[in-house]
Amino acid sequence: MQDTDRTELALEVAAVRWRLPEGDFAVLVGVTDEGEEVTVTGALADVEAGEVIDVRGAFRRHARHGWQFAAEGVRVRAPVGEDALLAYLRAVKHVGDGGARWLLERHGPEVLSIIDADPGARLREVPGIGDKRIGRAVESWREQGGLRALRLFLDSHGVPAAVAARVYRAFGAGSVEQLQADPYALTQLDGIGFATADALAQALGVPLDHPGRLDAGVLHALALAEDDGHCHLPRAELAERARRLLGADAEDRIDGLAASGRLELDDADRVAEARLAEIERRLAARARELARAEPVLSLRDETRPLVGDFVPTDDQWSAVGNALRSRLSILTGGPGVGKTASMRALVELMRANKKSVRLCAPTGKAARRLAELTGADATTIHRLLEYVPGEGFGRDASDPIDGCDMLIVDEASMLSLRLAEPLLDAVGPRTHVLLVGDVDQLAPVGPGRVLDDLIASGAVPVTRLTTIFRQAARSLIVRAAHALNHGEPPPTGPADDGLRDFFLIERASPRAVFDEVISLAAERLPRHYSLDPMADLQVLAPMYRGPVGIDAINAELRARLNADGPPIPGTAFRLHDKVLQTKNNHERLVMNGETGVLVHHDDDRDHVILATDDGRRVSMPVRELDTFKLGFASSVHKAQGSQWPAVVVALSRGHNVMLTRNLVYTGLTRAADLLVLVAEPGTVMTAAHRVEARARYTRLAELVA
């Protein structure tokens, strides 16, 4: 660069080299007024080729890619030049390059305001846009105009315009008006913190000591605590968290928010969001009611099998007995101890007595695996409760789950308050419930630790299985998981019969770990074991950022496995990408943590088809890909409740803050047939010796007891 001291550049964007499929990061190529080409990196994911931008930042030399301008702020100018106007028009659905040039030639430099006056009439004139396409073209025009207005509004108030796309997706055409009325609504969006909302509020003139600002800070501090799994906070801790967030004392506002009913403050000075506190109270009351209720099941024959393919142990039959004698009971234990066999024995006993059984799990993958292992139909909890998007659960106390004498809930360690409460609420008066789960796995994503707390209450009958069955003990995966769970190094030698389904590979540096993971996942394991790298194999890592992070692994695996996939316009994805859902999409029945491959793109209808792991073909609008990430690699948290034939787990010293026994144990148990753990020396035992701080602020155990 001729002048590396420059901190501001005006650029016309020549090309978008790369966008992070999730988040705001992008790499652009821009041309300065002097005609010099510059590579720009930063939160630029909303910027398109042809636009003119003003960027603030500094030049830096990248070890591999040379000089780059690292943008810290960006302002997108309104399109005025021919290239900028063409780029803007070209981005409108069904207009394309030819239509953009036709519009500019017909209407000249005022083309945008002319179309704004009557987009339906003006766009219908474009060759190739007929009755079938005009609706989507007008919708696309209005979306683009709304986004442009939002960008200008945010930029004029000192808020990074890079957040505009996420804000517009959340709030729609009324985004500007909503943010003018309540700038702190920004805190509702993932990845946009209080600081960004507060900056907008300050620009709009909200005083630092305004009660609305202080209230927003207190509520946001409590919402962040819920993200960490807490159901409440001690008052002093909430006040301190809010003070750090606001730079001001907001403790008095806790009382005001409690008086208004938005917070709940108990005699022990514990503060909870009022609706969450009510959910916890209702769940506790229902669990206590079920645990104390008299059994309603009566079987003609409860004889324990003594011969046949499966003869239950005393402990396993105890779990069956608890399920029959108590309307709420728990079965827990690690891999290979016979939880599934116990469930299957209970299912067979109920069927032999002509009683109905229903099985469910929190995720689609877990439900499918449960059905395969037990031989009985299983479904997700949301489908069992007949969830309707925008309306909620169709089953509740007034219309409970029907046709069910025994309800078995697998992967119950994943139950948060917000899922467990409607589930138990929908249990009818003639139904028994058995919760099955491994309490040594990661705590649920969401508030609470329901399975742990129900066990801790002492009010619910619990069966703990600890003996590893001989067949399961052949598996090095099972033995490695149990060893790690006891703080011991995992065994790496093959079993007596030569079974070798677990490998520990140590590499001396983060780069070496990364290279080994890529080589294994993209080439060696698929070739040696005849695996489909998209469907049969999954890479897991603790963190998204860093040299051995999920983002870096995903980018490289996509480059190896789908380098030539055609781009899907309006997204950062390519056709044939493996993707991961990050939110529950109940309408399409594609749930958080599920993976699939994008196999078709219909440009006219603006739809894609996702081939899911369970063999379905799901059609959805392109805009719904907003909730997906690349899925070649994922976090252990997202993988909980799922299994793949082969799993590669990557551990690096850079993951240190996340290296806990519970996380690595959960990652290891995601592999059904083959597990490869690639780690820097010492990281496995660091995790083995560090038990996750499972302490969450909850009241469920004491309320049930």
Side-chain angles (χ1 to χ4, degrees):
M1 296 294 102
Q2 294 178 359
D3 183 5
T4 55
D5 292 331
R6 290 181 68 175
T7 58
E8 294 187 7
L9 293 175
L11 301 167
E12 180 176 342
V13 180
V16 179
R17 274 194 186 154
W18 187 74
R19 281 191 181 98
L20 191 67
E22 63 282 351
D24 302 316
F25 186 80
V27 180
L28 313 178
V29 177
V31 180
T32 68
D33 292 338
E34 296 82 16
E36 188 171 20
E37 190 174 278
V38 181
T39 298
V40 189
T41 66
L44 304 161
D46 296 332
V47 178
E48 300 291 345
E51 292 186 306
V52 178
I53 60 175
D54 299 303
V55 288
R56 303 181 306 279
F59 279 105
R60 296 172 187 163
R61 185 189 286 277
H62 189 279
R64 292 174 60 190
H65 304 298
W67 284 105
Q68 298 178 335
F69 190 84
E72 297 170 359
V74 60
R75 180 179 185 275
V76 181
R77 298 184 190 177
V80 289
E82 180 178 331
D83 288 344
L85 288 169
L86 284 173
Y88 188 88
L89 294 167
R90 196 181 296 122
V92 178
K93 196 68 185 171
H94 301 312
V95 168
D97 185 62
R101 294 185 182 279
W102 187 90
L103 284 166
L104 187 59
E105 289 172 5
R106 183 178 181 88
H107 300 297
E110 302 301 317
V111 60
L112 302 188
S113 58
I114 291 171
I115 298 175
D116 272 337
D118 191 349
R122 300 290 76 79
L123 292 175
R124 190 183 292 274
E125 296 169 352
V126 176
I129 296 183
D131 291 341
K132 289 185 178 180
R133 291 182 167 184
I134 187 62
R136 184 66 187 97
V138 171
E139 181 186 357
S140 175
W141 174 265
R142 287 175 175 155
E143 286 176 357
Q144 205 160 305
L147 183 57
R148 180 180 56 180
L150 179 60
R151 275 179 172 173
L152 293 172
F153 169 75
L154 293 173
D155 183 74
S156 66
H157 291 92
V159 177
V163 305
R166 271 183 289 165
V167 175
Y168 191 84
R169 285 195 295 267
F171 301 142
S175 296
V176 172
E177 292 77 8
Q178 180 160 353
L179 293 181
Q180 286 173 326
D182 179 15
Y184 294 102
L186 280 175
T187 60
Q188 301 170 21
L189 308 183
D190 291 340
I192 301 180
F194 183 83
T196 300
D198 204 33
L200 177 59
Q202 301 308 301
L204 291 172
V206 177
L208 292 176
D209 60 351
H210 189 279
R213 176 177 185 267
L214 301 181
D215 287 354
V218 171
L219 292 170
H220 189 60
L222 202 55
L224 290 175
E226 182 180 331
D227 290 343
D228 291 335
H230 300 299
C231 300
H232 65 266
L233 286 177
R235 178 176 181 138
E237 184 172 339
L238 174 58
E240 175 57 23
R241 289 190 183 203
R243 186 194 64 75
R244 290 198 301 266
L245 195 65
L246 292 160
D249 185 1
E251 185 169 2
D252 289 347
R253 299 307 307 163
I254 294 175
D255 295 310
L257 288 165
S260 69
R262 299 181 73 181
L263 296 182
E264 185 175 289
L265 183 61
D266 69 9
D267 294 338
D269 260 358
R270 298 179 292 194
V271 187
E273 194 273 326
R275 289 168 298 182
L276 186 61
E278 179 58 26
I279 290 171
E280 190 173 33
R281 222 173 3 255
R282 289 199 304 265
L283 174 59
R286 183 60 174 145
R288 187 172 59 248
E289 176 189 4
L290 287 171
R292 293 178 177 178
E294 291 295 319
V296 292
L297 267 176
S298 177
L299 305 187
R300 299 189 315 273
D301 182 6
E302 295 184 20
T303 303
R304 173 180 172 181
L306 299 177
V307 294
D309 293 338
F310 172 66
V311 178
T313 65
D314 290 345
D315 286 342
Q316 290 174 323
W317 198 247
S318 173
V320 173
N322 282 342
L324 298 177
R325 290 190 295 273
S326 176
R327 291 198 58 208
L328 178 63
S329 61
I330 292 171
L331 170 61
T332 187
V337 296
K339 297 191 301 297
T340 301
S342 302
M343 286 189 279
R344 192 162 57 241
L346 177 58
V347 168
E348 291 172 357
L349 180 65
M350 295 291 291
R351 284 177 168 173
N353 283 270
K354 306 215 179 314
K355 299 292 184 181
S356 59
V357 185
R358 301 192 74 172
L359 297 92
C360 65
T363 68
K365 272 196 171 182
R368 289 190 291 275
R369 188 160 53 90
L370 179 62
E372 291 167 2
L373 294 173
T374 62
D377 291 338
T379 184
T380 64
I381 294 173
H382 280 83
R383 188 176 292 184
L384 176 73
L385 300 183
E386 299 176 12
Y387 183 85
V388 178
E391 298 180 20
F393 294 106
R395 296 288 183 176
D396 56 21
S398 64
D399 187 14
I401 303 163
D402 57 3
C404 181
D405 295 308
M406 177 70 67
L407 176 63
I408 300 175
V409 185
D410 197 18
E411 296 287 357
S413 63
M414 297 177 66
L415 290 175
S416 69
L417 281 187
R418 296 189 184 279
L419 188 54
E421 188 274 329
L423 176 63
L424 292 193
D425 184 52
V427 171
R430 308 299 302 172
T431 301
H432 285 215
V433 181
L434 173 64
L435 303 178
V436 183
D438 184 351
V439 293
D440 292 318
Q441 289 190 21
L442 287 167
V445 176
R449 45 169 204 174
V450 172
L451 190 65
D452 293 68
D453 281 348
L454 290 177
I455 292 172
S457 74
V460 181
V462 178
T463 303
R464 290 181 176 84
L465 302 180
T466 57
T467 303
I468 304 175
F469 277 77
R470 183 181 305 169
Q471 184 67 16
R474 295 177 59 244
S475 169
L476 284 176
I477 298 174
V478 171
R479 289 162 57 193
H482 281 277
L484 190 83
N485 207 30
H486 289 92
E488 301 167 358
T492 55
D496 294 339
D497 60 359
L499 178 65
R500 189 81 182 270
D501 58 359
F502 167 65
F503 299 86
L504 172 60
I505 300 174
E506 290 194 329
R507 291 293 179 261
S509 68
R511 185 72 223 180
V513 170
F514 179 86
D515 290 343
E516 185 73 13
V517 167
I518 299 301
S519 174
L520 286 164
E523 300 168 10
R524 287 150 55 198
L525 294 181
R527 183 175 64 245
H528 187 76
Y529 291 96
S530 300
L531 298 170
D532 179 343
M534 296 287 201
D536 299 334
L537 189 148
Q538 185 67 27
V539 176
L540 303 178
M543 298 174 67
Y544 283 91
R545 304 290 174 85
V548 197
I550 296 161
D551 291 338
I553 296 171
N554 265 323
E556 186 62 24
L557 284 177
R558 177 209 252 178
R560 298 284 191 95
L561 298 172
N562 190 31
D564 301 322
I568 299 175
T571 79
F573 297 116
R574 301 172 185 167
L575 202 59
H576 312 306
D577 271 346
K578 181 176 180 178
V579 293
L580 170 80
Q581 175 68 285
T582 64
K583 306 280 186 185
N584 285 334
N585 185 330
H586 300 288
E587 185 176 355
R588 314 290 171 196
L589 297 175
V590 182
M591 302 307 198
N592 190 358
E594 291 198 64
T595 55
V597 177
L598 298 170
V599 295
H600 181 70
H601 172 230
D602 184 333
D603 188 57
D604 284 343
R605 294 179 59 239
D606 211 22
H607 271 59
V608 293
I609 293 179
L610 176 73
T612 64
D613 286 349
D614 61 345
R616 291 181 296 137
R617 294 292 188 270
V618 180
S619 177
M620 64 179 67
V622 167
R623 63 179 178 273
E624 291 186 14
L625 292 179
D626 290 346
T627 61
F628 284 83
K629 299 180 178 183
L630 282 179
F632 302 95
S634 73
S635 70
V636 178
H637 283 87
K638 289 294 183 189
Q640 193 167 2
S642 298
Q643 268 198 331
W644 291 267
V647 169
V648 178
V649 178
L651 298 182
S652 167
R653 292 191 183 97
H655 300 149
N656 186 61
V657 68
M658 297 286 289
L659 291 179
T660 66
R661 180 185 300 178
N662 312 78
L663 183 136
V664 178
Y665 171 82
T666 303
L668 300 187
T669 53
R670 299 311 90 205
D673 304 314
L674 176 66
L675 171 67
V676 183
L677 179 55
V678 185
E680 283 189 74
T683 54
V684 174
M685 292 314 296
T686 295
H689 293 148
R690 187 190 292 164
V691 180
E692 178 191 44
R694 292 183 70 81
R696 293 185 171 194
Y697 290 120
T698 73
R699 293 182 289 194
L700 184 63
E702 65 184 77
L703 290 171
V704 173

